Structures are given as structure tokens and as C-alpha cells.
Amino acid sequence: MDKPLDGIFAALADPTRRTILIMLLEDDMAVTDVAEPFEMSLAAISKHLGILMRAGLISQEKRGRVKWCKIDPDALRDASIWMQSFGQFEAVNLEAFEKFLDQELEGDTTEPF
Amino acid sequence: MDKPLDGIFAALADPTRRTILIMLLEDDMAVTDVAEPFEMSLAAISKHLGILMRAGLISQEKRGRVKWCKIDPDALRDASIWMQSFGQFEAVNLEAFEKFLDQELEGDTTEPF
DNA sequence: CAAACCGTCAACCATTTGGTTGAATATGCA
DNA sequence: TGCATATTCAACCAAATGGTTGACGGTTTG
């Protein structure tokens, strides 16, 4: 019943989690550093990261007392294939993506950049 | 706060709604016919269709007493662009999609086909 | 050792979600 | 007109979600 795509899409449905993914796209980060720009508790971010983990969208590795988070694009690939099926829409368009990224980030109360 | 992608991804996070989209990919359908294969009330399906509507994933048009549902790929295009950004993964692959579609449908208790 | 730091856990809370049922509305048909 | 069909609405419910706080267990550092 609980299929992989359920978790992937549910994880992507939250703007905080999408912003975290965008941040991790730039570079791997420690949990505390991920949390820093957001106006919510560390525990809340820790939960978000757990959801992204279980969805397979990120992986985490503990080195010393620091837990490093890195993006894992394989799960997104699955979801993307599913979506592409509906795709009369054109192929990847980086310019269009940047526009979307801007929309995503502007007006975000948890604005990280 | 409530961005378009929130609604789109949230709508896709439910397997019933994804199955409905797959059904509508084949052809436009009336609400009652959409509901027929599922083991849940018509009212529940009506709610699901409302969620897909508000997400922009389908459109509905009433002709007589029948309300026809048709898929609307534009919203998916938006979500797809967002996801593609993470895409070191290869371009659209119809074969891979069909495999996913099979996985999606098999073992679904609300199996429509 | 002791203090500071990193991150999670547990308990709690308000809101949302996904379902139910029964009544209501709107249309088509005999 | 009167009945059947198509769909939604309203009220309700249990479970999941997204957040909080405070305590806790590792790890590093002074």
C-alpha cells in the first residue's frame, strides 16, 4: 500500500523540505547548518531530514559528532519518470528551471538565501 | 506560503489520485466512472478529484448531469521542471516508464485494471 | 573531569487528511 | 409529474502531519 512514490511525493510537498533539497544541491551540509536559516527548531528540521531520508531523497553519514547530509538523486529519478509520462511538455529547460527556483525562493518566510 | 508546487506534489502523494491520473491518461471520464473500480465511496472520489482540480492536474466540465474529468498536464510540467533540476538522471525513457506503471498498478488493492 | 556542542527522542498540541454516512441539489427520462 | 441518476455537501471520525519544549546520549575541547 505504502509505495515508494507516496513517500517521495509527500516529502516534496513541503516547501521547507524542497528548500533543504535546493540547499543540499549546492553542497553537503551538517544538520545544524541546514537548520540555521529556518525559523523553526532544530528538532523540527531533524524531523524533516528524517522524512527526506526515508523517502530516499538524501543520505546521512555521521562523522564525529557531526551528521552530514547529502542529496541522493536516484529517488527523484523514479518520481520524474512517473511524471514524464504525462509529458507532452518539452524536455529539460534550465532557464525555465531557474525561473521556478526564483519563484520557489521569493516570498518564502523561511528564506534561506 | 501555500505555493503551487505544494498542492501538486501533495496531490501526487496519494496512490488513489495517481491511479486516477493514469486512468484519465487513457480518456476523459465521468466522476461515477472514475469511482467505479475503487473500493471507496463516491464522495471520497469526489474529494480526490477536487484535490486534483485545485492542484491544476485535471479540469472538469459539466455537461448535463455528468461532470467530465480530463487530465491537464500543465501543472505536472511545472513540477517536472522542478524535479529535473536534480537530474543527473537520463532523459525521458518510455520503457522505464512502463515498468514503473506496472509497479504502480500491481499490488494495488484499489486495482482498477 | 567538566563544559559546550551536535543531534535525536518523547510527550504534547493544533491542524490537516482521508475516509464514512445521510441529506441535499441538479439533471434526465417515462 | 414523479422517479432514477449524477454529484456534492455537511457532519463526523481516526490517523497523520508539522510544529513545540525539555530531557537525553555522544563527541569534542578546554
Side-chain angles (χ1 to χ4, degrees):
Chain A
M1 176 77 70
D2 199 65
K3 305 174 198 168
L5 286 182
D6 291 15
I8 296 172
F9 283 127
L12 294 176
D14 185 279
T16 300
R17 290 194 289 265
R18 286 199 309 275
T19 302
I20 291 175
L21 287 178
I22 290 174
M23 291 164 64
L24 292 178
L25 207 52
E26 195 117 351
D27 204 357
D28 300 357
M29 294 178 83
V31 173
T32 305
D33 295 331
V34 170
E36 195 272 329
F38 294 96
E39 287 169 338
M40 75 182 70
S41 69
L42 181 61
I45 296 295
S46 179
K47 279 192 191 177
H48 281 303
L49 289 170
I51 291 169
L52 289 169
M53 258 290 277
R54 281 190 294 284
L57 290 164
I58 66 168
S59 57
Q60 293 178 300
E61 184 198 353
K62 191 167 181 181
R63 283 203 300 275
R65 62 180 167 180
V66 175
K67 201 172 201 175
W68 294 92
C69 308
K70 74 177 294 180
I71 203 159
D72 185 354
D74 285 358
L76 268 170
R77 179 178 165 282
D78 292 0
S80 182
I81 287 175
W82 193 91
M83 298 182 66
Q84 297 263 339
S85 69
F86 297 87
Q88 290 84 329
F89 41 88
E90 70 261 25
V92 195
N93 180 339
L94 251 293
E95 222 175 326
F97 167 64
E98 300 222 4
K99 218 174 60 195
F100 263 101
L101 207 130
D102 288 347
Q103 287 176 10
E104 261 303 279
L105 292 179
E106 90 192 2
D108 193 338
T109 56
T110 55
E111 176 64 75
F113 301 124
Chain B
M1 178 76 69
D2 200 64
K3 305 172 199 169
L5 286 182
D6 292 15
I8 297 171
F9 283 127
L12 295 176
D14 185 280
T16 300
R17 290 192 290 264
R18 287 200 307 276
T19 301
I20 291 175
L21 287 178
I22 291 173
M23 291 163 64
L24 292 179
L25 206 52
E26 195 116 354
D27 205 357
D28 300 357
M29 295 178 82
V31 173
T32 306
D33 294 332
V34 170
E36 194 272 328
F38 294 96
E39 287 168 337
M40 74 182 71
S41 69
L42 181 61
I45 295 295
S46 179
K47 279 193 191 178
H48 280 303
L49 289 170
I51 291 169
L52 289 170
M53 258 291 275
R54 280 189 296 283
L57 290 164
I58 67 169
S59 57
Q60 292 179 300
E61 184 199 353
K62 191 167 181 182
R63 282 204 299 276
R65 60 180 167 179
V66 174
K67 201 172 199 174
W68 294 92
C69 309
K70 73 177 294 183
I71 203 157
D72 185 355
D74 286 357
L76 269 169
R77 180 177 165 283
D78 293 359
S80 182
I81 288 174
W82 194 92
M83 299 182 65
Q84 298 262 342
S85 68
F86 297 88
Q88 290 84 331
F89 43 87
E90 71 261 25
V92 195
N93 180 339
L94 251 294
E95 221 176 325
F97 167 64
E98 300 222 3
K99 220 175 57 196
F100 263 101
L101 206 130
D102 288 348
Q103 288 176 10
E104 261 304 278
L105 292 180
E106 89 192 4
D108 193 338
T109 56
T110 55
E111 178 65 73
F113 301 124

